[in-house]
Amino acid sequence: MTKKIRFNSTIKKRTILKASDYCLDISKLILAGVVLAGVVDMDTDKTILLLAGSFAVVGIGLLGFFFYILGNQSKL
């Protein structure tokens, strides 16, 4: 006998807000990695590093803010 797991709105909101925190934390870590990789004298192309890092930080940051807005809506 299997029992279905049902999520009520409180659990959904909490999960979405945790996903928002996770995305924003990952975005900060990527930014720190890009800065550290730029400072350390490695054999990398700085332009590609900055472009790819910037796109990743902005993309994941926007996803985090989207989850934050979604989690704070009154109707889920």
Side-chain angles (χ1 to χ4, degrees):
M1 178 183 244
T2 60
K3 185 176 180 179
K4 275 191 169 178
I5 298 174
R6 295 189 185 259
F7 293 110
N8 60 14
S9 65
T10 305
I11 294 173
K12 283 181 187 178
K13 285 183 182 186
R14 205 171 8 179
T15 304
I16 291 171
L17 288 174
K18 285 293 182 183
S20 167
D21 290 340
Y22 179 76
C23 286
L24 292 174
D25 286 343
I26 292 297
S27 176
K28 289 187 285 188
L29 287 173
I30 292 172
L31 179 63
V34 167
V35 169
L36 284 176
V39 169
V40 174
D41 192 26
M42 292 174 42
D43 193 25
T44 58
D45 188 12
K46 305 259 190 231
T47 306
I48 294 175
L49 177 71
L50 288 174
L51 284 175
S54 298
F55 282 126
V57 167
V58 170
I60 295 174
L62 287 175
L63 184 65
F65 286 122
F66 171 74
F67 283 147
Y68 181 77
I69 291 168
L70 187 66
N72 283 320
Q73 286 191 355
S74 61
K75 197 171 169 184
L76 259 179

